[in-house]
Amino acid sequence: MPSPTPSLSVERVLIAVAVALIAFLWHTSRQPVECPASVPEEVQHPGYSEYECPEKPHHGSWESWWHPQRIWSKPSEQGAGALTKDWNILYHLGGNGPWIEKEVNVVEGGIAPPAECRVEQVHMMSRHAERYPTLKAGTRMRSVVDKMKTGDVTFNGSLAFVHDWDLFWSDDSQLAQLTSTGPFAGRLGAFTTGVRLRTRYQHLLPKANPPSRKTKLFASDSQRVIDTARHVAAGLFGLDWQTSANVEVIPETVDRGANTLTPGETCPNYISDEEEGWAKGWKSMYDFRATYFPSIRARLSKENPRMNFDDDELYAMQEMCGFETTVRGSSKWCDVFTQQDFLNFEYARDVHHYYRAGPGTKYGAGMGWLWLNATTNLMVEGPQAGKMFFSFVHDTDMAPMLAALDIMTPEEHLPLTQIAEDRTWRKSQVSPMGGRIIFEVLSCHAETRGWLGGRDRFVRININDGITALPGCDTGPGKSCRLSAFVARVLRKGLEVGDYREMCGLDSSAPDSLTFLRQ
């Protein structure tokens, strides 16, 4: 048998060196992960997966996928897409990117129930999982890309990649639907959410299989929302989930009145009021983005003097950073902009939803109180009313509920001339794709905490795996709120917001409360 040729030996050496280099880069690109100090060492798995600690089970994180473009490509001078110790673009996409954990204003100690407490009831409101852009947004993106590709211009600098870049959807039928590729695929994210819920709340699942009564999951009548509920159900109950659960679809029609998951669609005054209705959000965002777009326009024009972009085109380019990331895992559009550009974009999106459906519109709290009140009534009834309630909606339906809850309402409205650096209202961390707000009803041993004997009940709020204290009601275990105090708070808010039908201009025959939320 002939001996290996020298060239073949050299080739093998080069391959070995390349493999070693890749392994080294992969190892050094990951940040070391430490489980919370409260987790015993024998059940910790640092370094195996970023969220492999028992308190954060089963989530494929940004760093658990190898992104060759992050290792090999040299970011542009701006490089907002680069992942560093101090910067992660996923936290600045304004709800247009993948699910992320809430990190701002969270309670220390993790998501495990406080000592001497157990979760006896769970109520969740969740946005649909990662999706492609809507038709309107997709049209905006396609338009600016077509303009660039058909303009007979050779692009330089941060836009040089455009010549070889293609849209991240192949058919317009994909628009507005869940994504199915990449580490942040919507179908994967929804299924994973179901697994996480099963891991944490398995003790609340029916013991019999099949159960005597199926668990209802509630979804607004949008295909991406319905699909999210189904994938979550598969992760929670198993691939044969339909033997244990049903997805009940709630129409998004005006005739539903207050008996809806989507109050923004059933409130005529909110739709028609150009000063305080949904249009307020868009106007507010336009005002703020006009403060930072001129500098971006000047920079891109300097690189490519033959191109000029209007505000909608610049906005579409920033949007593509997040949406392409949900499909492909990363996006070169992120590196077109500076980190400051995306801090501004993040705030523009905060402003949009704050004034469109949150505390910044007079309709926000009144619309959000419907679901909050129905959920509070179920808490009072206790586990006999049902142990798990899951509602799937849009981000514009989560903002009103947060406004009614007053958990992130600032003392003053968000300014439109500069970023409010210390704000608590951050859409990126509250309602990213797949964002979820979970209310846990805790049953705790009272005698160990200085109260009367027996057990007492508390409400703890988990926003995207960040326990968040309710201002003025956080003296319970783990900064939870005593159920009786929570009920009183919701009742006071109901008196404050008044009758939904009157606020919305509905006649007396319209439903005046949310009644379908029952098991």
Side-chain angles (χ1 to χ4, degrees):
M1 182 175 180
S3 60
T5 63
S7 60
L8 184 57
S9 298
V10 171
E11 181 180 343
R12 288 176 174 173
V13 170
L14 290 176
I15 291 174
V17 170
V19 171
L21 179 59
I22 290 172
F24 172 76
L25 289 170
W26 165 239
H27 176 75
T28 58
S29 68
R30 290 175 52 84
Q31 298 292 329
V33 178
E34 295 182 1
C35 292
S38 60
V39 181
E41 288 187 9
E42 60 269 19
V43 295
Q44 293 186 19
H45 304 283
Y48 175 70
S49 178
E50 182 166 354
Y51 294 108
E52 198 58 24
C53 302
E55 292 185 313
K56 298 179 180 179
H58 306 294
H59 174 67
S61 74
W62 172 261
E63 292 193 18
S64 68
W65 275 71
W66 176 43
H67 293 275
Q69 59 269 49
R70 291 291 177 217
I71 295 176
W72 296 109
S73 67
K74 180 180 179 181
S76 67
E77 182 180 351
Q78 290 79 44
L83 181 65
T84 69
K85 180 180 179 181
D86 301 316
W87 177 264
N88 186 338
I89 189 64
L90 301 188
Y91 278 81
H92 309 287
L93 296 174
N96 286 346
W99 183 86
I100 52 173
E101 289 186 351
K102 185 173 185 284
E103 291 188 340
V104 175
N105 298 318
V106 300
V107 176
E108 294 184 1
I111 63 175
E116 305 298 329
C117 297
R118 68 170 184 267
V119 178
E120 68 174 24
Q121 202 179 44
V122 170
H123 305 266
M124 182 179 80
M125 175 179 278
S126 174
R127 186 186 181 191
H128 56 74
E130 290 81 353
R131 63 164 170 80
Y132 288 94
T134 60
L135 178 60
K136 182 177 180 180
T139 300
R140 186 165 56 235
M141 296 172 193
R142 185 191 297 276
S143 177
V144 67
V145 172
D146 286 347
K147 172 182 174 178
M148 297 173 73
K149 283 183 171 288
T150 60
D152 192 27
V153 174
T154 300
F155 286 98
N156 302 305
S158 60
L159 294 175
F161 73 92
V162 171
H163 297 291
D164 300 318
W165 185 85
D166 294 313
L167 285 172
F168 46 92
W169 70 93
S170 56
D171 187 282
D172 283 358
S173 64
Q174 295 176 296
L175 294 176
Q177 304 308 317
L178 296 187
T179 59
S180 58
T181 61
F184 308 117
R187 297 177 187 176
L188 173 63
F191 182 84
T192 302
T193 294
V195 175
R196 290 163 72 86
L197 294 173
R198 182 181 182 88
T199 303
R200 297 171 188 171
Y201 307 122
Q202 190 168 9
H203 65 288
L204 300 180
L205 292 171
K207 302 301 181 186
N209 188 21
S212 58
R213 184 175 61 178
K214 293 184 179 181
T215 300
K216 296 178 184 176
L217 290 79
F218 304 91
S220 65
D221 193 8
S222 168
Q223 194 59 53
R224 60 183 177 270
V225 178
I226 297 168
D227 288 344
T228 297
R230 290 170 174 168
H231 284 288
V232 169
L236 177 59
F237 296 101
L239 295 182
D240 59 346
W241 63 271
Q242 289 175 307
T243 64
S244 301
N246 283 325
V247 173
E248 184 169 316
V249 178
I250 309 301
E252 299 183 3
T253 53
V254 68
D255 61 287
R256 298 286 302 187
N259 196 23
T260 181
L261 283 176
T262 51
E265 302 292 337
T266 68
C267 185
N269 286 349
Y270 170 71
I271 296 171
S272 62
D273 189 341
E274 295 187 359
E275 294 299 320
E276 281 292 328
W278 68 276
K280 185 178 182 181
W282 289 100
K283 292 177 181 178
S284 299
M285 184 185 71
Y286 293 155
D287 287 345
F288 177 73
R289 74 183 192 181
T291 67
Y292 77 94
F293 274 173
S295 62
I296 297 176
R297 184 178 295 109
R299 186 178 70 238
L300 295 182
S301 295
K302 184 177 180 180
E303 288 182 349
N304 299 279
R306 293 178 58 190
M307 290 296 298
N308 188 49
F309 301 104
D310 63 29
D311 284 5
D312 280 346
E313 291 169 337
L314 292 175
Y315 184 69
M317 291 158 69
Q318 285 197 284
E319 283 184 302
M320 283 192 284
C321 166
F323 281 110
E324 185 182 16
T325 295
T326 65
V327 178
R328 294 173 172 166
S330 65
S331 173
K332 292 183 179 179
W333 288 102
C334 303
D335 287 330
V336 172
F337 302 95
T338 66
Q339 292 182 7
Q340 184 60 52
D341 291 339
F342 269 102
L343 291 175
N344 286 323
F345 178 80
E346 174 191 8
Y347 187 69
R349 298 283 298 167
D350 290 347
V351 163
H352 178 203
H353 282 264
Y354 177 85
Y355 286 105
R356 177 180 177 176
T361 168
K362 69 178 184 181
Y363 298 95
M367 295 189 299
W369 187 80
L370 301 174
W371 185 90
L372 184 62
N373 179 58
T375 295
T376 302
N377 291 336
L378 293 169
M379 294 179 183
V380 172
E381 290 186 50
Q384 60 268 27
K387 296 181 180 180
M388 298 187 298
F389 295 83
F390 304 114
S391 298
F392 298 88
V393 295
H394 306 273
D395 54 352
T396 50
D397 306 309
M398 298 177 72
M401 191 274 287
L402 291 169
L405 189 60
D406 273 330
I407 193 169
M408 295 186 299
T409 302
E411 294 182 3
E412 298 182 358
H413 285 317
L414 297 181
L416 303 181
T417 56
Q418 62 185 19
I419 294 177
E421 300 288 355
D422 60 347
R423 68 193 182 281
T424 55
W425 186 271
R426 293 177 182 267
K427 176 172 171 48
S428 294
Q429 295 191 37
V430 176
S431 56
M433 303 287 187
R436 53 187 179 267
I437 302 169
I438 299 175
F439 295 78
E440 296 177 335
V441 179
L442 304 174
S443 175
C444 304
H445 280 295
E447 65 270 18
T448 63
R449 300 182 177 277
W451 298 307
L452 297 176
R455 302 186 73 87
D456 208 343
R457 301 167 73 203
F458 301 84
V459 179
R460 191 174 72 149
I461 302 171
N462 178 334
I463 301 178
N464 295 323
D465 286 6
I467 302 301
T468 304
L470 189 58
C473 194
D474 60 356
T475 59
K479 292 286 187 177
S480 61
C481 175
R482 201 171 199 139
L483 178 58
S484 58
F486 185 86
V487 171
R489 183 187 183 105
V490 173
L491 289 176
R492 287 195 301 270
K493 196 66 177 182
L495 296 174
E496 177 185 322
V497 300
D499 183 76
Y500 180 80
R501 293 176 299 187
E502 181 179 346
M503 179 185 76
C504 293
L506 296 168
D507 61 43
S508 59
S509 64
D512 64 350
S513 62
L514 194 158
T515 60
F516 62 82
L517 199 62
R518 309 290 303 181
Q519 291 294 359

